[in-house]
Each structure stands twice: as C-alpha cells, then as structure tokens.
C-alpha cells in the first residue's frame, strides 16, 4: 500500500474513470435526451447538455389522463405488484426449503437439491411455450396470479441457492443453544436462523425483485393487455409504434429505470453480498 | 442424526422431525414439479408431435419437426447468429468483468460508490437498456455517429444495425454485455477475494514481479470464478431475446435462436417446431456449459 | 425414492395427454353461417361493458360517452400496435382465452380466420348484400359466404408527393408514369436539397410486403394468381421487376440508408412529415389529413398531395387494404359488441372519425370512412384534405387477391416476402435469391394445405 508510484495511481484513476463512463454513460445520455425538445435532441452535432432544457416530457408522463402516461403508470403498477408478490412468495418458499437443505438430513436430499439447481441451467424457452399452454388451460393467462406463479417457479432455484449458502455458513452453535432450550427445528428457524440471516434474506429478496421487474418474454406472451402488462412490454411496444418521439421515449426509459436503479444504488451492498455469496461453490 | 446426544446429554427429538423436511420442501417441489419439470417434459415429448392450430389435430410425427428445422434457412441463420452472440457475449463480459474485478479488488474509499454504479446496468430491465442504446445507435441523430464524426473517424452517418450482419450482431450483443458484465465482475471478484494473501506474500518473497504474481497465483486460483462467470454469460447470451426483439425486430440478419423460436411458435403458430427448437437449444446449452466447466474450471491447490 | 415416483407419474401423465391430442382445437364452433340476416340485433344489457382492442387510438372520450348514453354499454378501448395485436389475437384464440369483445380483422387474415374459426360470423345480424353499395370494401371480409367482420374504414395504398420540394428541384407537373417518377426522384436527389427523396420501409415488417404488392400492380401484374401460384419468378414478370426497382432504389441512394430498419408509419412520421423525403410510393390513404397536414407533428403542412400512382404505362390501380372489426368467438358481451359495430360503422360516425365535426372528435390516423355516404358528407363540408382525389382513387381501387381473397397462410407468405426483400436490400441476398426463396415458400405452403 505504501510507496505506490504516481504513475500507478494515475493509471488506476484512469481505469476507474473508464469503468464509470462505461457503466453510466448510456443512462446519462438517456437523461440528457429526455430533458430536451425533439429539435434539441436531433441537433447535429449532438448536445451533451440538454439545450433547450425542458421538463415537458416528464410533465406529459405524469399527466396520467393522456395515452402514454396512462399506459406507463398502469404498467408500472403491474410490474411492481407482480414482482413484489412473486418476491414474497419466492422468499418464503425458498426460506423453508433452504433451511431443510442446510440443516436437516433426510432421504433424497441430494437428488432434490441437484434437481432444483439443475433447473438453473434450463434455458428460458424450455418452459416458455408449455407454461403458456398450461396457464391458458387453467384460464390464468393475463391475470396477476398466473404471472406471479410463473415468476416464482423461475426464481426459486436461484433464491434457494443464495439462501442455502447463507444458512450453511451460520455456525450451528447458535441453534444448538436453542435446541438445548427445547426448541423444535421450526422454532430454531424462526428464532435463530432468520434473524441472523436477515442480510442474506434481504439480498435474495432484492435480487429476485429486480429480476422480476426486468422480465420481458414471459409477460410478452402471458399478458395480452394493460390489465397485467409490466413496464418492459409497454416500453418495447412504444419503441416499435409510430408516433412517440425519441425524447418522450427516453423519458419513459428513465422513469422505467428509476425504481430498479434507485434500489440498486441504495441497496447495493446487499446485491453484491448476495451474488458473491452465491458464487462460492 | 438419530440417537445423537447434545452436550448436556439430552436426546434430540426424533419422531416429530421425520416428516418435517418434506413438509418444508413440499411447496418447492410442487412449484418446480408443476411449473419447471412438467413443462420441460412436455417440451421434450411434444417436440415429436405436430402441434399447430392451423393443422389440427395434434398427432405424432417423429422427427418431422427436426427435419423441417434443419431445412429452414432462417433457423440455420439464427443458429449461426447465436454462435456469434455467444462468442461476443462470453468473451467480452468475461474480459471486462475480469478487468473490473482486478481494479476493484483493493478496498478503498471509493469502492462502494464505484461498485454501486458498476452494478447499475445489471439491475435495469434489458428492454429499457435496448431502447436507450437504440437511440445511441440511431443513424441520423445518435450520439455514436455524432462522436465518430467529430473525431474524424467516419465521414457520413453510418447505419449500424441492419446492414452489416456482423456489425449488427456485435453491437446488439454489446447492449447485453453492458448488462451482464457486472454479474461476471462480481463472481470473479468473489473468487479473487478468496485467494489467501499468504500466497502473494510467498510469491513476492520468491522475487516475483506483478505480472508473474498475476500469472502464477491469480489466474490459476481465479479459474473457478471465471468458469462460473463464463457459464452464466453463456446461458444469458444463448438466450438473448429482449435486445434482439427491440433492436432487430423480425429481420433474419440478427435473429437469435430465442427470437426464431418465438416467431415459429407465436407468429406461425407451429408449436411443435417451437418445442423441437427449444429442445435442441437446451441440449446445446448443457453441452457448452459442460465444455466450459471442463476446460476452465480447475481447483488448484498450492 | 418418492421423488422419482412423482417424476415418472408426471411423465406418464404427459404422454397420455399428448396422445389424446386435439388439445389445440378451440371449443365453441360458431353457429352455422346463416346467409340471410334478420337485421335485428339483440339488445345489450345496460351497465355492461365491452373491451375494444385495436391498433388505432381511441375515439375521444366525449364521443364514446355518447354511445354509452345511447345503449348503456361502457367502452374500454385499448390501443396495441398492429404486429403485436396480431400475435395477441393468435395467442388468445389458440388458448381459448378472452381478451376482447371486438378487435381487428385484417383484410389479409380473413382466409385464415375462416379456417381457424376464431371470429363469429355476422351474417345473422348484418345484411352484407344490402350494405355493399354503400360499403364497397365489405366483400374483403367475407370468406366462403361467412361475413367475419365489417369494414372499420376504407383504406388503400396511394402515392404521396411533396410538391413543394418537387417544384423547388425543377420537377414540373405530376409524373405520369413510373419512368417519369423515377426520373423526378433522381432530379430531386441531384439538386441536393433532399439527398434521399424516396421512402421505402425496409424493416422486416408487413408494410414492406404491401409496398411490393403496390409496385407489382404498377408494373401491371400481381404477385400470386387465382390459384395462389407465384407470378414473380421470371425476370420479366411484374413482381420481379418491382422487387428489382425497390432494391435498386435503396442501393443507388434514392432511399435513405437508415430505412433498412424503418417500418411504414415510422417512415411517415420521422421522414415524410419533417420533410426529409419527398415521396412515398405506397403510402396509406388519409395520411395527408391525419399526419402531414397536422401542424403539431408535421413540418410540411399543405405541401403533400396524393397523386395517381404512376404505373409503367399510366396510372396504376391502388390496392385496398381496409381494416375490419370483428367479434372473437371468446367474446363475453356479444350484444354490446354488435351494438358497437352498428354505431361505429354508421354514416354519421364514420364521417366524424375522419373529421366531420372538426379535429377534436377524430380518431388520430383514421384513413377514410368505409361508407360512400360518409365520404360524400365530408366532401360537401370540405373536411378532408384531398377528398376529391381520394374519391376518384377509391373508385379505381381493387383488392390484392381479387376472387379467392387472401390465402389462409397469408401471414407466413408475408413473412417470407418481407424478410427476403429486407435481406435483398441489406445486400445479404441477390434479387434472384430473394425471388426464389419466396416462391419456394409459397409452393411449400400451397402443398401443405
């Protein structure tokens, strides 16, 4: 740490700047485009600071009686509900399952664990079409429950993997103490394991929520209209449609990125821990 | 577990706990069984059937779907495209991820902030990112052309996506690389941080320079992390859909296998062929993942 | 092992289900097609609601409220882009799910819908024969005697030209034939003000197919004959020449390079409306009134006109491509839907969508009314830009597949068409290869029926 030469410091600062530009430039550009008029955005050469500056695009979007605004906020609500409820369901189920894998011994444990984790390798489309036909045969297409069930089944393996690693790394002595006091495994889970692993549970919840919010191809197929369409489907549709100007589209993009973006920035610590914990075989 | 005694000599309850694991696991098994395993079995079986509302009824047709796929030039083209998607996706995300992980290895004041920004692209929906990048790539008003022109690298506005097949694929995949590099970086970072410091000390005592240390200590020990990162990137780039849907639409030039499956199933309504293509792609994923793990993953002990 | 047992049971279940087949047939087949209509509609229930899913924006709320006041039925209108909408219709129908009481029936899908039985025949409620005089394009939506939709509008492809740009480049008069037209474009390009004067939407989407059909008609031919055999394989055929013309136009710079990724409406709004191109050979009727002459989104108000489509030897026929509105068999409120169709397509309302009561009551982008009587109302009130030209062109319009109508496999055909033309323009295929590929696909589709 001592004696780091000036050159090394400079090159390190340069690298970090490069990384920051790489990570943030597109978002900055979207912001830049969204805060100006169509003429300003289409000026040649491009303006790196919005000029003229206007917040009109956001005003249009916040006025939910208009077409685009209405579509956007309804889809925002849909995405949040679908992802949120799927997160809750996933975390609860994964909690119990991960505890069973980490702390209990039983026949078939290896096989079930391997089978569950193997589904992580399954590409999306191994299940896309059949899931669509299953959901439609029980009339759950274009309903919240249908979409939430599909999301949950998709996120469970990852959630279990992350929580399993967390639970496995908790020292057994803590539960031993509870057992001494006559606790059953379930009580030990409730009183000891969960409080101790809250960071891991939080990480799992955040990661699953973000993945749910980003889903595209499943809702594209499973939700046919604004009753359940999330933000991603609406944004893609607006991009392909005729008359939405690029400045408004970038404002939609910024708002669509706002929720996951803020979560990622503020709760970054949990995400990093969660991913890194899950990578240690 | 039976008959073990706790330090105080008390016997752990046995009978009550026997069904507990299965109770705890039942929701999981139900979900995975019904919504993951069963659909996969359905895909596998119905790939050998003709399933098409325009051509009822559903009936067994052996290898007909597979034969039709091999003869379909668009399917073959999407397979070739996807191969390029994978090479670019895995290659660049691993390279950049390794670079970022190495730079961020050292704890510093700024690391938290930098990490937060680095992770940001991973958290945003791919569709939103594609729309944003689409505007950057826009031939007439995009900032890419604008910057290249002011640097004097090009004379007139280039059409980036749609004309050159390779350029289009590389640029579309770049959007996905932007999204998955943070994941690779975090996975590799975890592996880097698990390398014991003593090994570096020992190498320095032996007189190794920075490059030597990297080659002899870092690279071998980070291989498990690299392997996991590469498999993750492989799965994501083989599956690439959102970016292709937004930036490429239904054009064959940049179509990926996933895009082709979607078109066959939902535009042409030929679900049987869609199943068949899904099955082929699943096999490809598993084969390639095993290949990567076999070649790259190696636990090294010193 | 209990788990293994479960897996085996599931697998057995699946094989059983698959072998039992016919899980894909839609449940209710529509009532036998009665060819005579009573003309009497069932009364809708007051307080009920209908959902309309369509690729046009909703009429203004105030106007929809009038319908609610008249019938007691509330209307929920959802706008979905055309390509997306076709997928939605297909996925909802194959899964037997309700998604709308009324939706788009595209002229090209009528053959397919007759085969798949996804839409309710309207014969018991509307007398097509009686309506034909006032709704010339109503036949487009009938197949084998079943009236599967009524026209939502009347629409045909037209050629638009920005006369201001043309005059500034020294082009005098209206191009009388295709050679004159091509030369005019070259002249505009040479003068420099508009370096790429022609808009062709080369994105792999339906608009590209329609463009090709119109150009083929300009060359005096059709793409398929009455038995759906390909007519474009020989280099001297109309379809081949049309494809060659389109690809040459792109490669020689008459069309902006960026158009390789541009779909039809994108081209109108981001190129023609800002004055960046001078002409669209295959535009849609009504675009002058609904896009180019609208001050808030256009920089060329008053400059764009409809011109007779320049064919090889004089004016070419324009191809009709009207939109239809039909009732899916899964609809929940059939009475309400029928009442809506009747209201939506009556003379007064059709004229209002196109601007009879001013621009506050229009449906944005609405092409032309489906009824001749509505057009007359509009012409009297001078409410539609280029009304007189449009009425003349409507008179000379014809269907793309006169006689048998669009084939049931039209979507796959169109898919083959637009992907291959796109490839040819992008330089990934030669024109000969594109033509061969499309023809091969057509023959395969014909053979599989």
């Amino acid at each position: 740490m001592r004696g780091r030469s000036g050159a090394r410091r400079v090159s390190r600062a340069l690298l970090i700047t490069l990384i920051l530009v790489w990570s943030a430039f597109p978002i900055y550009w979207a912001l830049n485009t969204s805060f100006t008029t169509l003429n300003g955005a289409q000026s040649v050469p491009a303006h790196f600071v919005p000029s003229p500056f206007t917040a009109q695009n956001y005003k249009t979007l916040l006025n939910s009686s208009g077409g685009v605004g209405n579509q956007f906020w309804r889809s925002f609500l849909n995405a949040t509900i679908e992802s949120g409820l799927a997160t809750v369901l996933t975390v609860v189920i994964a909690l119990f399952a991960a505890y069973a894998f980490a702390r209990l011994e039983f026949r078939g444990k290896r096989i079930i664990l391997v089978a569950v984790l193997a589904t992580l390798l399954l590409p999306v489309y191994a299940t896309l079409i059949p899931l669509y036909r299953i959901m439609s045969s029980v009339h759950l297409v274009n309903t919240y429950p249908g979409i939430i069930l599909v999301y949950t089944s998709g996120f469970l393996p990852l959630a279990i993997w992350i929580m399993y690693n967390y639970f496995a790394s908790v020292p057994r002595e803590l539960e031993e103490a509870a057992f001494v006091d006559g606790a059953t495994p379930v009580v030990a889970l409730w009183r000891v394991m969960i409080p101790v692993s809250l960071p891991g549970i939080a990480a799992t919840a955040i990661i699953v929520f973000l993945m749910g919010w980003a889903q595209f191809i499943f809702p594209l197929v499973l939700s046919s209209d604004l009753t359940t369409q999330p933000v991603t489907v609406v944004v893609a549709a607006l991009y392909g449609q005729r008359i939405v100007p690029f400045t408004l589209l970038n404002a939609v993009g910024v708002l669509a990125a706002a929720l996951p973006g803020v979560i990622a920035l503020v709760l970054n610590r949990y995400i990093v821990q969660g991913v890194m914990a899950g990578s240690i075989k | 577990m039976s008959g073990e005694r706790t330090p105080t000599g008390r016997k752990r309850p046995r009978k009550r706990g026997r069904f507990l694991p299965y109770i705890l696991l039942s929701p999981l098994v139900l979900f995975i069984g019904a919504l993951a395993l069963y659909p996969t079995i359905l895909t596998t079986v119905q790939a050998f059937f003709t399933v098409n509302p325009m051509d009822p009824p559903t009936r067994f047709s052996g290898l007909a779907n597979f034969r039709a796929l091999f003869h379909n030039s668009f399917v073959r083209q999407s397979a070739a495209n996807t191969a390029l998607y994978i090479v670019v996706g895995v290659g660049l995300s691993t390279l950049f991820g390794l670079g970022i992980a190495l730079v961020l290895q050292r704890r510093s004041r700024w690391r938290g902030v930098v990490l937060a920004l680095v992770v940001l692209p991973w958290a945003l929906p791919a569709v939103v990112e594609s729309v944003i990048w689409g505007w950057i790539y826009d031939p007439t008003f995009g900032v890419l052309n604008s910057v290249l022109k002011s640097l004097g690298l090009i004379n007139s506005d280039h059409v980036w996506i749609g004309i050159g097949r390779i350029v289009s694929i590389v640029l579309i995949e770049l959007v996905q690389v932007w999204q998955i590099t943070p994941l690779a970086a975090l996975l590799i970072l975890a592996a880097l941080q698990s390398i014991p410091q003593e090994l570096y000390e020992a190498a320095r005592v032996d007189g190794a320079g920075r490059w030597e240390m990297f080659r002899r200590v870092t690279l071998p020990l980070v291989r498990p992390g690299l392997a996991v990162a590469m498999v993750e990137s492989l799965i994501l780039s083989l599956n690439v859909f959102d970016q292709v849907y937004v930036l490429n639409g239904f054009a064959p030039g940049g179509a990926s296998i996933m895009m082709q499956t979607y078109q066959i199933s939902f535009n042409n309504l030929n679900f049987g062929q869609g199943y068949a293509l899904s099955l082929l792609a699943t096999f490809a994923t598993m084969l390639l993942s095993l290949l990567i793990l076999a070649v790259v993953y190696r636990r090294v002990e010193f | 092992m209990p788990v293994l047992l479960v897996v085996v049971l599931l697998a057995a279940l699946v094989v059983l289900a698959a072998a039992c087949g016919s899980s894909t047939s839609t449940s209710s087949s529509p009532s036998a097609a009665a060819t005579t209509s009573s003309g009497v509609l069932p009364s809708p229930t007051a307080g009920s609601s209908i959902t309309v899913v369509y690729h046009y924006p909703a009429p203004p709320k105030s106007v929809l409220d009038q319908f609610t006041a008249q019938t007691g039925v509330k209307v929920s209108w959802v706008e979905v882009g055309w390509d997306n909408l076709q997928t939605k219709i297909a996925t909802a129908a194959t899964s037997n799910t309700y998604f709308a009481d009324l939706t788009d029936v595209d002229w090209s899908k009528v053959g397919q819908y007759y085969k798949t039985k996804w839409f309710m025949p309207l014969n018991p409620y509307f007398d097509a024969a009686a309506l034909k005089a006032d709704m010339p394009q109503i036949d487009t939506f009938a197949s084998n005697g079943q009236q599967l939709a009524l026209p939502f509008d009347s629409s045909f492809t037209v050629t638009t030209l920005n006369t201001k740009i043309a005059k500034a480049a020294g082009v005098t008069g209206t191009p009388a034939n295709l050679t004159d037209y091509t030369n005019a474009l070259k002249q505009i390009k040479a003068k420099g003000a508009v370096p790429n004067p022609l808009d062709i939407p080369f994105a792999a989407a339906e608009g590209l197919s329609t463009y090709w059909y119109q150009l083929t008609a300009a060359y005096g031919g059709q793409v398929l004959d009455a038995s759906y055999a390909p007519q474009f394989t020989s280099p001297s055929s109309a379809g081949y020449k049309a494809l060659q013309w389109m690809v040459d136009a792109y490669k020689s710079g008459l069309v902006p390079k960026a158009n390789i990724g541009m779909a039809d409406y994108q081209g109108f709004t981001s190129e023609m409306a800002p004055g960046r191109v001078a002409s669209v050979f295959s535009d849609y009727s009504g675009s002058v009134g609904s896009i180019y002459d609208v001050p808030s989104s256009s920089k060329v108000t008053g400059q764009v006109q409809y011109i007779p489509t320049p064919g090889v030897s004089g004016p070419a026929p324009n191809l009709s491509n009207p939109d239809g509105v039909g009732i899916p068999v899964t609809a929940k409120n059939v009475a309400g839907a029928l009442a809506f169709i009747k209201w939506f397509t009556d003379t007064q309302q059709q004229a209002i969508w196109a601007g009879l009561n001013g621009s506050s009551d229009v449906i944005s982008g609405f092409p032309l009314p489906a009824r001749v009587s509505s057009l007359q109302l509009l012409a009297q009130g001078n409410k539609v830009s280029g009304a007189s030209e449009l009425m003349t062109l409507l008179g000379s319009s014809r269907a793309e597949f006169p006689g048998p109508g669009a084939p049931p496999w039209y979507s796959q055909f169109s898919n083959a068409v637009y992907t291959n033309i796109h490839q040819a323009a992008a330089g990934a295929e030669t024109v000969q290869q594109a033509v061969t590929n499309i023809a091969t696909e057509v023959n395969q589709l014909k053979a599989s029926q």
Side-chain angles (χ1 to χ4, degrees):
Chain A
M1 288 289 203
R2 259 178 281 119
R4 314 207 54 219
S5 66
R8 208 173 283 172
R9 239 191 234 142
V10 166
S11 68
R12 189 177 155 75
L14 216 63
L15 281 172
I16 293 192
T17 313
L18 208 62
I19 293 175
L20 286 176
V21 168
W22 159 258
S23 299
F25 179 77
I27 301 170
Y28 148 72
W29 194 250
L31 277 165
N32 182 29
T33 311
S34 66
F35 275 110
T36 185
T37 62
L38 201 55
N39 284 335
Q42 293 177 340
S43 64
V44 175
H47 291 155
F48 277 79
V49 173
S51 86
F53 184 94
T54 169
Q56 179 57 44
N57 291 316
Y58 291 99
K59 288 202 198 111
T60 311
L61 284 176
L62 285 175
N63 171 24
S64 61
S65 65
V68 179
N70 183 43
Q71 283 185 324
F72 178 73
W73 290 112
R74 176 65 207 223
S75 67
F76 194 95
L77 180 70
N78 290 338
T80 312
I81 292 181
E82 288 157 7
S83 192
L85 290 180
T87 304
V88 168
L89 195 59
T90 305
V91 167
V92 166
I93 297 180
L95 249 179
F96 289 136
Y99 184 67
F101 285 128
R103 286 296 191 251
L104 303 177
E105 290 298 329
F106 51 96
R107 277 177 55 160
K109 171 167 155 175
R110 283 226 119 198
I111 289 203
I112 301 183
L113 184 59
V114 166
V116 167
L117 294 179
T119 57
L120 270 173
L121 275 180
L122 274 181
V124 169
Y125 37 60
T127 53
L128 176 65
I129 307 167
L131 270 176
Y132 167 69
R133 302 183 93 231
I134 292 175
M135 282 299 150
S136 61
S137 63
V138 294
H139 298 290
L140 280 181
V141 174
N142 205 31
T143 61
Y144 282 152
I147 294 182
I148 292 172
L149 287 176
V150 169
Y151 281 5
T152 306
S153 69
F155 300 149
L156 271 173
L158 182 65
I160 289 177
W161 178 237
I162 299 179
M163 285 215 257
Y164 171 69
N165 283 311
Y166 263 94
F167 287 173
S169 67
V170 171
R172 283 183 186 255
E173 289 81 57
L174 296 173
E175 292 151 271
E176 299 284 329
F179 287 137
V180 164
D181 290 342
T184 60
V186 175
V187 173
L189 168 66
W190 183 247
R191 287 253 175 82
V192 177
M193 201 54 130
I194 291 185
V196 165
S197 315
L198 269 181
I201 298 175
T204 310
I206 294 169
I207 292 176
V208 167
F209 182 77
L210 289 176
M211 281 178 18
W213 231 80
Q215 283 300 305
F216 179 61
I217 186 167
F218 274 99
L220 184 66
V221 169
L222 287 175
S223 69
S224 48
D225 62 40
L226 271 177
T227 317
T228 51
Q229 271 175 357
V231 169
T232 47
V233 177
V234 167
V235 168
L238 289 176
Y239 184 79
Q241 250 169 47
R242 7 171 173 155
I243 305 182
V244 181
F246 265 113
T247 45
L248 188 58
L249 204 54
N250 272 283
V252 170
V254 167
L255 285 182
L259 183 61
V262 164
I263 291 180
L265 287 173
V266 168
L267 299 174
N268 172 60
R269 190 168 24 118
Y270 295 104
I271 300 177
V272 171
Q273 278 178 9
V275 173
M276 289 178 37
S279 70
I280 304 171
K281 281 269 183 74
Chain B
M1 192 163 173
S2 58
E4 266 182 298
R5 288 177 182 275
T6 69
T8 59
R10 218 138 153 270
K11 206 168 173 172
R12 220 173 255 140
R14 223 185 107 187
K15 290 226 175 91
R16 250 192 302 168
R18 181 114 67 111
F19 294 114
L20 182 65
Y22 300 109
I23 297 176
L24 290 178
L25 283 178
S26 50
L28 171 69
V29 170
L30 206 68
F31 264 96
I32 301 284
L35 297 178
L37 276 181
Y38 174 60
T40 313
I41 297 174
L42 238 161
T43 299
T44 316
V45 169
Q46 298 220 293
F48 300 93
F49 283 66
T50 299
V51 186
N52 188 344
M54 294 272 289
D55 186 14
T58 304
R59 55 191 186 278
F60 183 73
S61 57
L63 292 176
N65 288 331
F66 294 94
R67 248 181 275 128
L69 288 173
F70 280 120
H71 284 135
N72 184 333
S73 67
F74 288 140
V75 171
R76 292 201 302 270
Q77 195 172 359
S78 70
N81 294 345
T82 307
L84 186 56
Y85 278 122
I86 293 175
V87 166
V88 174
V90 175
L92 286 185
S93 68
T94 310
L95 202 63
F96 293 170
L98 182 60
I100 294 177
L102 286 172
V103 169
L104 292 182
Q105 232 190 332
R106 236 169 283 269
R107 288 186 192 284
S108 73
R109 244 182 324 172
W110 306 110
R111 193 168 91 146
V113 175
V114 176
L115 257 182
L117 276 173
V118 163
V119 168
L120 192 57
W122 183 68
L124 304 179
V127 172
V128 174
E129 298 181 349
S130 307
V131 168
I132 294 177
W133 278 87
W135 176 238
I136 294 178
Y137 288 148
D138 187 80
T140 326
F141 303 113
V143 69
L144 180 62
N145 272 338
S146 177
V147 165
L148 289 179
K149 273 196 293 190
S150 27
L151 288 179
L153 289 172
I154 59 175
N155 288 333
S156 61
D157 286 330
H158 262 225
V159 179
W160 295 107
I161 299 192
I163 296 195
R165 192 168 141 200
I166 295 188
V167 172
S168 307
I169 292 179
V170 170
L171 287 180
I172 294 177
E173 185 54 27
L174 198 62
V175 182
Q176 185 176 47
V177 166
W178 190 64
Q179 185 185 38
I180 64 182
T181 299
L183 182 62
L186 286 179
L187 289 171
I188 298 176
L189 187 60
L192 279 176
Q193 289 187 331
S194 66
I195 300 179
Q197 278 295 343
E198 301 89 60
L199 293 173
Y200 287 115
E201 289 302 326
R204 192 174 302 139
V205 162
D206 282 349
R210 270 175 70 89
W211 177 242
E212 289 268 312
M213 279 206 288
F214 180 74
R215 218 166 48 88
R216 291 265 174 87
V217 180
T218 313
L219 262 188
L221 285 176
V222 89
R223 280 174 82 149
L226 275 178
V228 176
M230 286 174 77
V231 170
E232 285 291 333
S233 297
L234 167 74
I235 297 176
L236 290 169
S237 55
L238 202 147
N239 263 300
V240 66
F241 180 80
D242 302 15
Q243 292 84 349
V244 175
Y245 184 92
V246 171
L247 294 172
N248 180 72
F250 294 137
S256 64
I257 289 193
M258 191 66 217
M259 192 69 205
Q260 202 57 39
T261 311
Y262 178 81
Q263 274 189 279
I264 291 178
S265 310
F266 294 102
N267 281 357
N268 296 348
L269 300 181
N270 196 332
F271 288 107
Q273 278 187 15
Y275 290 136
L277 191 53
S278 306
L279 203 59
L280 289 174
T282 309
F283 274 134
T285 310
M286 297 196 162
L287 263 156
L288 287 171
S289 305
L290 287 173
L291 193 68
I292 292 182
L293 287 175
V295 169
V296 181
Y297 190 110
R298 208 173 292 175
R299 273 207 189 284
V300 181
E301 303 288 332
F302 280 130
Chain C
M1 290 254 173
V3 174
L4 220 55
L5 192 61
V6 171
V7 171
V8 167
L9 278 174
L10 280 176
L13 245 163
V14 167
V15 175
L16 210 62
C20 285
S22 66
S23 46
T24 54
S25 57
T26 53
S27 60
S28 53
S29 30
S31 46
T35 45
T36 52
S37 116
S38 60
V40 173
L41 273 59
S43 336
T45 328
S48 65
S49 61
I50 53 170
T51 301
V52 181
V53 181
Y54 217 81
H55 57 289
Y56 277 101
K61 187 167 184 311
S62 53
V63 183
L64 286 176
D65 287 344
Q66 291 169 11
F67 173 74
T68 311
Q70 276 178 34
T71 58
V73 179
K74 286 191 283 280
V75 179
S76 165
W77 185 295
V78 181
E79 183 190 355
V80 176
W82 190 87
D83 290 284
N84 264 334
L85 182 54
Q86 305 311 308
T87 313
K88 300 276 173 284
I89 295 174
T91 49
T94 49
S95 67
N96 230 335
T97 321
Y98 165 79
F99 94 105
D101 298 285
L102 287 156
T103 190
D104 172 45
V105 173
D106 195 74
W107 66 271
S108 60
K109 308 265 181 180
V110 179
Q112 180 190 57
Y113 292 159
Y114 172 74
K115 206 162 182 238
T116 54
K117 301 191 183 14
W118 288 349
F119 281 85
M120 208 183 88
L122 299 175
N123 302 68
Y125 309 106
F126 295 98
D127 189 344
L131 286 169
K132 174 144 172 84
D134 200 27
M135 275 189 190
Q137 296 180 325
I138 194 173
D139 284 347
T140 323
F141 299 105
S143 179
N144 294 67
Q146 280 194 4
Q147 189 71 37
L148 294 172
L150 284 192
F152 174 98
D153 55 33
S154 67
S155 175
F156 45 93
T157 51
V158 289
T159 307
T160 50
L161 179 65
N162 187 319
T163 47
K164 183 159 178 251
I165 296 180
K167 270 200 198 88
V171 174
T172 50
T174 313
N177 55 43
L178 197 54
T179 320
D180 285 354
Y181 180 76
T182 316
N183 288 337
L185 290 174
K186 290 187 182 153
Q187 196 173 334
I188 298 175
K189 178 181 170 66
K191 290 289 183 202
V194 178
N196 314 99
L198 177 65
D199 172 29
I200 303 183
F202 277 110
E206 176 74 15
L208 183 56
S209 306
T210 319
Y211 212 102
W212 182 52
Y213 308 152
Q214 176 63 81
L215 252 163
T216 307
Y219 270 97
Q222 275 178 255
V223 299
L224 303 175
D225 70 12
S227 62
Y228 300 139
Q231 297 289 291
F232 46 84
T233 43
S234 147
S236 59
S237 63
Y240 192 106
K241 289 194 205 156
L243 221 164
Q244 186 77 60
W245 189 91
M246 288 167 74
V247 172
D248 288 345
Y250 185 78
K251 295 204 165 140
S252 66
L254 280 181
V255 178
K257 284 276 173 278
N259 278 38
I260 195 69
M262 209 165 283
D264 46 10
Y265 277 100
Q266 268 179 291
F268 306 157
T269 54
S270 62
E271 293 188 327
M272 191 68 172
R276 248 178 254 134
V277 296
S279 176
V280 186
F281 186 86
S282 177
D283 204 325
Y284 302 138
S285 55
S287 57
V288 170
S290 58
I291 305 179
Y292 307 136
D293 276 356
V294 177
S296 57
S297 51
S298 161
K299 294 201 182 105
V300 297
T301 51
Q303 299 172 17
V304 181
Q305 280 178 17
Y306 302 113
I307 62 170
T309 301
V312 149
S313 46
N318 296 102
L319 302 178
S320 34
N321 55 358
D323 304 296
V325 59
I327 307 180
V329 291
T330 49
K332 288 190 182 150
N333 188 348
V334 173
L338 287 167
F340 189 83
I341 293 185
K342 185 159 197 284
W343 175 78
F344 192 89
T345 58
D346 81 26
T347 302
Q348 192 73 11
Q349 288 304 129
Q350 284 281 306
I352 290 177
W353 306 139
L356 185 67
N357 284 355
S359 57
S360 60
D361 283 354
V362 301
I363 292 180
S364 165
F366 189 78
L368 280 185
R371 286 187 187 259
V372 174
S373 47
S374 314
L375 256 177
Q376 280 164 351
L377 275 179
L378 288 168
Q380 281 165 19
N382 232 336
K383 295 288 183 161
V384 168
S385 320
S388 44
E389 288 101 324
L390 287 176
M391 280 179 77
T392 325
L393 294 172
L394 177 60
S396 65
S397 72
R398 68 154 168 81
E400 170 53 32
F401 301 101
W409 34 261
Y410 176 79
S411 339
Q412 281 112 299
F413 168 64
S414 177
N415 185 301
V417 169
Y418 62 64
T419 40
N420 280 293
I421 299 185
H422 171 93
Q423 295 274 75
E429 285 176 14
T430 62
V431 171
Q432 178 64 65
Q433 284 172 325
V435 159
T436 313
N437 289 343
I438 303 175
T440 314
E441 182 68 20
V442 170
N443 291 325
Q444 271 180 358
L445 289 166
K446 280 178 42 141
S448 67
Q449 295 298 303

